[in-house]
Structure formats: C-alpha cells, structure tokens
Amino acid sequence: MVLDNRHGAFRVPELEIPGSGHGVLHGLTFTVKDVFAVAGHRSSAGNPDWLRSHGPSDSHAAAVRKLLEAGATLRGAAHTDELMYSLGGENYHYGTPVNPYGENRIPGGSSSGSAVAVASGSVDFALGTDTGGSIRVPSAYCGVFGYRPTHGAVSLEGVIPLAPAFDTVGWIAGSTELLLKTGRVLLGAVDSGGDARCEENRKKSGDLLGSADRSGDACSEGDRKKAGVLLRSANSDGDAQGEESRKKAGDLSGSVDSGVVACDGENRKKSGDLLGSADSGVGAQSMENSMEQSGGEAVDESAGDLRMSRMFILPEGWALVEQDCADYLRRGLDKLQAGASLQAAEAVVAPEGLKTWMDAFRELQGAEIWATHGEWIGREQPVFGPDIAARFAWAAGLAGADHSPAAMLRSRITQRLRALLGKDGCLVLPTVPGPAPLRGAGPGQLERSRSSAMMLSCLAGLAGLPQVTLPVPGPGGLPLGLSVIGGHGQDLRLLSWIQEVWK
C-alpha cells in the first residue's frame, strides 16, 4: 500500500520494514524521524550535507528494533529540522510538512514530520526526539498526544545526537491508549533491570547530574525546604479568600534557601490535604509487594498504584499564555482536574524567572551541540538555512567558556522540581503559549516564538523529567497543548494516569 504523503510528512515515503508479525503492536504502523538508524537507510538529519557525508546504517536503532519486535510495521522516514536544532518545522532544504489544522501554519519541530504523519492519519504513531521541546511543541501545534520520557529511560543507541545531556527518544500518537501502549514497549513494562538500564543510558547520553533525587521517592519535608518551593492554593488571587487559602496552603512569610517558601506538614494537614492525600491509593505496602520496573520506577498497574495524589500548577508558565487562548487552556485544566478528582495548588518553582531558566538551558544545550557537531561542521562546511546557521554560529561562540554558573543553576532546578513532585506529584502547565505561528515569518518572529515555547519546555529538559502534552481545542479550531510533568522515573505512572483521567 502506498504511503499517504499528501501533507509532506515524509522525506522517504517508500521506506518500509515489516514488523515481527506478532506482539502487542501487531497491525499498527509507525514512522521515524529521519535521525533514527534503520538498516540500509541513510538518515539525513534534515540536511543534504549530512546525508552526503554519512553512509547507510548497518542495523536498526534500539527503539526501532523494540517496536518492530512488538509487531509494528515501520513506514517512511519523516522530515526533521536541520540537525534537530529548531522548534519551527520549516526546513530550508526539504520544505515544510503541512500542518493538518492549517496549511498556513507551521507544524512545529524538530519532529515536524512525525507529528504531521500522526495528525494526518498516515501512520498510527511515530518516533521522534526531544531535546528542548521537539516532540512536545509539534504535538501541540498539530493537535496530537506527545511524550518526552525521563532522560535516559529509553535508549538513544542508533540516534543522531544533538545535545546528549538533554536528548531523549519520544513518541507521538493520536490517543492516550496508544501513547501508553507504545510506552510500555519502549520503557519495558516488566524489566527487573530497569534501574540499571536507565542509569547506563544516562551515562551514555552524558547526564552528569548524579544524585539529584534520582530515586523518585516522595519528597521529604527536608527536601522541600532545601529545594525552596512556594505552595499555595490555586485560587489565591489576592482577595480575602485567596489570603486564607495561602495561609492554609503554607504561604508563610520569610525565606528558605533560594528565597522561596516551603510548606510544612502541619500546613498540608490544614490545607485539606491538597498537597499529599493520606488515602491516595498509592500505598507503600503494595508498592513493595508488587513491582514492575521501567526506567527506574516502581509500578503496580493491577493494584491501581498509578494515580497521582498531588497536582500543582505553574503560575509563571500560565502567565505566558496568549490572551485569547487562556480560557481554552483553563477548560483543559478543568477537564484534567475533573477526571483526576484532584484540586491543584500553585507551585512557584522559578523565583529566578523562566527566562533565566531558559537562558541556562540554551547555554548548556548550545555548548553541548557545538561539542557534538563542531568538528563535523568545520570539516564538511555544510550549507544551513539562515536561522540554523545563525544558531550554530552562536553555539560556536560558547566553546571554551565557563558554564559552571548555568550548570549549578541546573542542579538547583533539578533538586527543586524532583523534590516537589516525588513519585506521585504532577505539574500542569501550557505546552506552548498559543497556536502554531504562521508560516514564512521573519527571523525575529521565529526567534520570539521559539523563545516563548522554550521558556515552557525547558523545565523537563533541565530536570530530566517526563512530560506529556495533551491536545486542547483553541481559538478558531486551532489546537493548543496542555502539559503534565511527572516525577523522575515515573513514566508509566504518568502515562497510565493520563490514559485513565483524560477522557
């Protein structure tokens, strides 16, 4: 059967590798971003000079191999932005896949073809990569479900790197059910070596953060104080009721560590247990008695141990939402809360400001990108599109600089977010500030759109956390994205919980 490429999702539509003929994904089709090794196929990484200077792969990438063994059939190699260094989806050399929700809108990148292939119905699901938002942003713009896993939870073997300390293998699907089913295959739903595998993958990919709450255990009071997280009721809007809510939720005067206030156990009790239910269905006893390991997480799906018992919203993130999109995203939040039967509390986790966080992310990412690709660029002198060329020139200027302040900030952010979420907490924020921007915008508009998206996407990247983006109808029928970030290593918990509550 000829692959439907009317939306231009595929660079190589004729590529096809049949699945094993059996398994949980038998009968389903998937595509891969053109950065995954497929035996006999030459990946382009979105650039003709990369294609010219690299030969065909000898074997499949680890993630591709898992999906084929589970019965899925690979169809097509999907477009990507040049060397994955963009969030727009407009490729200077190979063109721009058409966003099914509006051909005058960008699809988002760098997993542009993967998102369009799923949104247009050409395949059932797709593999992509996410370093700074490259699964989450195009999924939001194209109205599909996208997932970035815990850093190191899925092997990057056979994937062209961008910035190894941030790179992840992610996937896109048209339903929460298929997102979870794919996740069980890629994460390994039953694998007693999950901790060791996740640790080994982190070492291979350059995650040097080390001990920042890697276990994903529920945060202790000491962790919260060290992390410095302000918690308050989500309806604290400055009126008397809001003031009372802040008092109940632990918004006390004074400062802890970074100048952000942590709530204590007594205030959690007073707040009606919004911040940690004593009867959340997440029992320590059952977690010990029956466990499945996946990427370091303890999971008991049959016993219902996959619920989230604490939900936080990020006021700094919601403040970035475009004015005409706010009500639509709030409806999405209401739907999530109704399905989960949880009331959200605000968590002010970025007293430094999200722009400061984004700047640290971009600095660390850029330095790694140049360390990864600088030698090839110097040798091959590739032709890049203007925006990508400018980005690589900026990254080159980071070589040899002292990045320790940004690295120290990343370490603090990691501790702060992992302490807040523990195993059973989640953080809800917009995926992007608004709908997909118009195609053909000037460099200034492209950079503004990219920066605003990265201020929201940098949280999971900096702390190595899993994040799912959910499609929400927006103004004029254009899709928006609502994101949920889970605890470190809690990938199957997050995916299972979303499948249960997002109806």
Side-chain angles (χ1 to χ4, degrees):
M1 183 172 59
V2 177
L3 187 60
D4 178 6
N5 198 24
R6 286 175 295 174
H7 290 82
F10 306 99
R11 187 186 74 83
V12 186
E14 63 272 16
L15 178 65
E16 182 166 345
I17 308 291
S20 64
H22 57 84
V24 296
L25 300 179
H26 177 59
L28 297 175
T29 59
F30 73 104
T31 192
V32 295
K33 183 177 184 174
D34 201 20
V35 300
F36 285 83
V38 177
H41 168 72
R42 286 198 304 153
S43 298
S44 73
N47 181 273
D49 289 306
W50 185 278
L51 184 67
R52 168 186 56 78
S53 59
H54 291 79
S57 299
D58 296 327
S59 58
H60 301 319
V64 173
R65 187 167 62 248
K66 276 194 170 188
L67 296 175
L68 292 171
E69 290 171 351
T73 292
L74 168 60
R75 304 200 69 198
H79 280 295
T80 176
D81 293 347
E82 291 186 76
L83 268 67
M84 303 77 73
Y85 203 3
S86 178
L87 292 176
E90 296 178 285
N91 190 297
Y92 178 80
H93 305 282
Y94 294 120
T96 304
V98 177
N99 189 327
Y101 281 88
E103 60 183 37
N104 62 335
R105 301 274 173 170
I106 64 172
S110 61
S111 303
S112 56
S114 297
V116 169
V118 173
S120 64
S122 299
V123 294
D124 296 305
F125 66 100
L127 278 182
T129 59
D130 189 306
T131 302
S134 291
I135 284 281
R136 294 162 286 167
V137 171
S139 295
Y141 287 167
C142 293
V144 289
F145 296 89
Y147 190 71
R148 173 204 167 93
T150 295
H151 186 262
V154 179
S155 174
L156 283 158
E157 176 196 335
V159 179
I160 299 169
L162 178 61
F166 301 100
D167 291 346
T168 61
V169 169
W171 53 99
I172 298 169
S175 69
T176 57
E177 291 81 5
L178 187 49
L179 205 67
L180 172 60
K181 184 180 285 190
T182 305
R184 285 183 174 135
V185 171
L186 291 172
L187 293 159
V190 182
D191 182 352
S192 61
D195 279 325
R197 186 190 69 251
C198 196
E199 178 66 20
E200 182 62 23
N201 286 334
R202 272 192 295 268
K203 288 179 180 178
K204 289 179 180 178
S205 59
D207 186 353
L208 304 179
L209 284 177
S211 61
D213 193 29
R214 180 161 289 165
S215 67
D217 288 337
C219 53
S220 67
E221 194 55 42
D223 289 334
R224 281 213 185 92
K225 288 182 178 178
K226 289 177 183 177
V229 178
L230 170 64
L231 301 173
R232 62 174 180 255
S233 170
N235 67 350
S236 56
D237 53 5
D239 57 12
Q241 182 179 357
E243 181 62 27
E244 182 63 22
S245 297
R246 278 194 295 273
K247 289 178 181 177
K248 289 180 179 179
D251 186 3
L252 309 176
S253 60
S255 64
V256 177
D257 188 24
S258 63
V260 190
V261 181
C263 69
D264 59 22
E266 183 61 28
N267 281 314
R268 280 200 300 275
K269 292 178 183 177
K270 290 179 181 179
S271 69
D273 216 8
L274 298 179
L275 308 179
S277 171
D279 184 20
S280 63
V282 185
Q285 184 71 29
S286 59
M287 292 291 279
E288 292 173 1
N289 291 343
S290 177
M291 294 194 303
E292 292 179 352
Q293 293 292 333
S294 175
E297 63 183 317
V299 176
D300 180 0
E301 297 185 54
S302 63
D305 284 340
L306 298 176
R307 300 180 197 146
M308 297 292 180
S309 62
R310 298 171 298 124
M311 181 187 294
F312 308 101
I313 63 173
L314 183 74
E316 306 100 305
W318 286 84
L320 295 172
V321 173
E322 295 175 11
Q323 187 173 0
D324 61 343
C325 298
D327 287 343
Y328 293 94
L329 284 167
R330 287 194 197 100
R331 288 184 204 125
L333 175 61
D334 290 343
K335 176 182 176 180
L336 187 66
Q337 288 185 273
S341 299
L342 290 176
Q343 182 176 347
E346 285 186 359
V348 181
V349 298
E352 304 90 349
L354 288 180
K355 185 180 184 304
T356 299
W357 284 26
M358 177 195 69
D359 289 342
F361 176 89
R362 293 177 78 167
E363 177 186 342
L364 296 172
Q365 180 199 40
E368 278 221 341
I369 288 170
W370 190 254
T372 301
H373 293 297
E375 189 275 333
W376 174 81
I377 291 172
R379 182 181 71 249
E380 299 293 338
Q381 296 295 304
V383 175
F384 291 125
D387 59 322
I388 304 297
R391 212 158 286 148
F392 273 111
W394 176 80
L398 297 173
D402 177 15
H403 304 297
S404 57
M408 286 189 290
L409 177 58
R410 183 192 181 191
S411 183
R412 291 197 301 272
I413 290 167
T414 299
Q415 181 185 28
R416 195 178 299 168
L417 289 175
R418 293 186 187 180
L420 173 70
L421 297 176
K423 282 185 176 179
D424 61 352
C426 64
L427 183 65
V428 184
L429 69 163
T431 309
V432 286
L438 294 171
R439 291 175 61 160
Q445 179 58 51
L446 285 174
E447 188 57 31
R448 283 191 294 273
S449 296
R450 182 171 181 268
S451 294
S452 60
M454 285 191 73
M455 276 192 273
L456 294 167
S457 64
C458 70
L459 282 78
L462 286 165
L465 298 175
Q467 181 173 342
V468 60
T469 181
L470 312 169
V472 174
L478 294 170
L480 303 171
L482 181 68
S483 274
V484 184
I485 297 176
H488 186 261
Q490 301 304 303
D491 295 82
L492 286 183
R493 179 191 296 272
L494 177 58
L495 287 169
S496 299
W497 182 73
I498 287 295
Q499 192 273 329
E500 177 185 343
V501 304
W502 189 263
K503 304 295 185 184

